[in-house]
Amino acid sequence: MRGSRRDGASPRDARLSGLEVWLTGTPAELDAATAALTTAGRVIQAGTRRPLTGTDASRHRLYLRLSIATAARPSGRASATGGAALLDLDTARRKTA
């Protein structure tokens, strides 16, 4: 091998930005998680929903990249959930069933 190996991003590739998330779950869970994430930011890239196989046959995986604006934390006491909304997956599952 000649010279030292450069370990890093190619200068020809566009710089990636945003939050990258791999989601795995039922279609209803993916819909609920995507909806919750889009309230926090804007989806800038969404992969194709892919079905899993074997014992996970009823589940899918999905890649999302989001642009999320960061802001200063408001003063005062944070909520018990840290300001995040909790998802009721049982309700989401019933809506799609």
Side-chain angles (χ1 to χ4, degrees), residues 8 10 14 31 39 41 49 54 59 66 85-86 89 95:
S10 168
D31 291 341
T39 63
R49 191 177 285 194
R59 296 164 46 90
L66 300 111
L86 295 177
L89 294 177
K95 287 181 181 178

Side-chain angles (χ1 to χ4, degrees), residues 73-86:
R73 179 175 231 161
S75 60
R77 187 172 178 195
S79 70
T81 62
L86 295 177

